[in-house]
Each structure stands twice: as C-alpha cells, then as structure tokens.
Amino acid sequence: MIEISLVRHVKVEGPPALYGATNVMPNAEENARLLESLTAAQQHGGSYDLVITSPLKRCRIVAELFAKQNETPLCCIESLQEVNFGGFDGIPFDDATFSLKTQSGKKNWSMLENFWQAPAVATLPEAESLAEFNQRISTAWGELIESCYLQEIEGKRPKRVLLLAHGGVIRMILAQILQLEWQNPILHQSLQIGYGSLTKVTVTRPFEQLNQNHFQVNFIGLPLLNFSVFS
C-alpha cells in the first residue's frame, strides 16, 4: 500500500490573475505556516519516505525545505506543473490587457468568461488545451505510481509520499481516480481545493504481477494552515 498526500501550495505573491506556468513566489508567511503544519503531520502520523514536487517555486520551495529538514529524498517532476494559460498567464486582471475601456479588453474578458463556462471547449490564446493538460497529468500520475512500486529507498519501497502540487493538477488526478468527466466545468468551478490543503489517496496493488492498481480517496481539501487539525 502507498499513501499519497497531495498538498496544494499556499497563496502566491501577486495581484489577482491566472497563474499557471508563471513562476510566481508563494506568500512567505503562509509558506512558513505550511512547513510547520507538514512537520507536525510528520511527527503525528509517521514519516514520509519521499517528497515529490512541481518545479514551480510556489510548490518547490516548501518541498525543498521540508525534504532538507527531514532528510527525505526529493524528486521534481516537470510534467506536474499547473496548466499553461498562454497569453493570459500571469497577467493581472487590472492590467490594461483587460481594460473594459478598450475593444481588445472587452474581447479578452469575453474569452475569459467563455473559458470559465466551458474550459474544455474555449481554449485561451496560445494556451495549453484542457485535453492536453488532462493527458499530461494522467500520464505523469500513472508514471509516478509505477515508479513508486518499482523503486526502493534504503532497501524498501516508499509507503508514504508527499506531493506538493497545484489545484488544477489535484482536480485532474481526482477526476481520473473517481472517473469523473474532466471536461465538465463543474469539476473546476465547484470542487474546492483550497490553498494549503491536503487531499489523501491510498493506492494498493492486490495482484502485483498484473500491475492493476486500486485507488481510494481518503479525504479531499483538509486545511493544513490550522495546526489544530493534528491536535
């Protein structure tokens, strides 16, 4: 059995915008609180054998600090980045790009509205499509599980894995496990994966020679920035 804790990064330092591929910094105060909370979980629930992270700073910084502090192996997986929002990625909503005083601004807001209503259909300019994103995360997730079963750390298979990830990535993983329609806008609008939250998944392989995995979602979106969840 492998227990995977999917933790979303904390809020970022920047004005409201679509932050996908943009390598924006996490909020330092919240990041410190998240590190403390993860350390508390480490002490109360058994230690992690492996830390995995997206390469983006809002995930990677706390992952590196936690791994170093607890002397835990760390793996950075490029394909676990958030969806790329293309030409709108990282552009503040109060930027001239979205000014309602201009025709181009009105057009851009219209494209955003269409995207939020039907993200699988209305791809933003120069952006990664939702289908491409889903395929990338599905492949990365499958490879991650397989690597956990194949690798050994200090002579043993990792049993507890900490994954620092993004909201969109976690939703796509849950959609795959629960066989939800990743195209459905409700998945992205209504499934709350809060900043600094924990989603836990258990993976078992009853017939290991057949490489057939059984997944169980233990819980979704448990807030970690409140230390009392471990007391």
Side-chain angles (χ1 to χ4, degrees):
M1 182 180 76
I2 301 173
E3 179 187 288
I4 303 179
S5 297
L6 301 111
V7 174
R8 188 187 181 191
H9 59 81
V10 299
K11 293 179 181 178
V12 299
E13 293 290 1
L18 291 175
Y19 292 111
T22 302
N23 204 6
V24 64
M25 288 287 291
N27 178 276
E29 181 181 344
E30 288 196 358
N31 223 34
R33 287 170 57 202
L34 178 59
L35 178 60
E36 288 186 47
S37 190
L38 290 173
T39 301
Q42 179 93 335
Q43 295 170 348
H44 283 74
S47 61
Y48 289 105
D49 305 303
L50 177 65
V51 180
I52 298 174
T53 182
S54 156
L56 298 181
K57 289 183 288 189
R58 54 194 188 268
C59 294
R60 195 188 74 236
I61 289 175
V62 72
E64 289 177 345
L65 289 170
F66 179 85
K68 181 178 180 180
Q69 177 177 292
N70 294 280
E71 299 181 340
T72 306
L74 174 69
C75 178
C76 181
I77 300 181
E78 291 286 331
S79 53
L80 287 176
Q81 294 187 52
E82 183 62 284
V83 63
N84 189 329
F85 294 110
F88 290 170
D89 205 309
I91 305 298
F93 293 136
D94 60 2
D95 186 84
T97 304
F98 299 110
S99 174
L100 292 175
K101 297 180 180 179
T102 65
Q103 285 301 116
S104 61
K106 292 177 181 178
K107 180 181 178 181
N108 290 339
W109 270 114
S110 178
M111 285 190 284
L112 279 176
E113 289 289 346
N114 291 337
F115 172 72
W116 285 324
Q117 294 301 318
V121 178
T123 303
L124 296 173
E126 304 172 25
E128 181 178 25
S129 72
L130 200 65
E132 292 169 334
F133 178 52
N134 175 66
Q135 183 59 53
R136 170 163 65 83
I137 298 306
S138 295
T139 299
W141 176 248
E143 291 174 350
L144 186 159
I145 299 302
E146 194 61 29
S147 69
C148 286
Y149 271 100
L150 291 175
Q151 71 176 300
E152 289 190 350
I153 299 173
E154 297 181 352
K156 63 178 182 179
R157 175 183 295 160
K159 294 183 178 180
R160 297 189 72 233
V161 177
L162 175 63
L163 171 57
L164 273 297
H166 307 271
V169 171
I170 295 172
R171 287 186 185 91
M172 283 301 187
I173 290 172
L174 289 174
Q176 180 177 339
I177 293 173
L178 299 174
Q179 298 182 22
L180 305 176
E181 292 185 3
W182 57 265
Q183 305 96 326
N184 192 333
I186 297 298
L187 175 70
H188 310 280
Q189 296 169 0
S190 301
L191 179 57
Q192 177 68 15
I193 305 294
Y195 291 111
S197 68
L198 167 65
T199 296
K200 186 173 289 185
V201 173
T202 302
V203 188
T204 55
R205 185 174 284 184
F207 305 101
E208 197 156 321
Q209 67 274 17
L210 300 179
N211 293 343
Q212 293 180 346
N213 301 315
H214 173 73
F215 295 93
Q216 182 176 27
V217 178
N218 302 101
F219 52 79
I220 298 173
L222 179 72
L224 286 183
L225 299 184
N226 181 351
F227 301 150
S228 65
V229 297
F230 299 112
S231 61

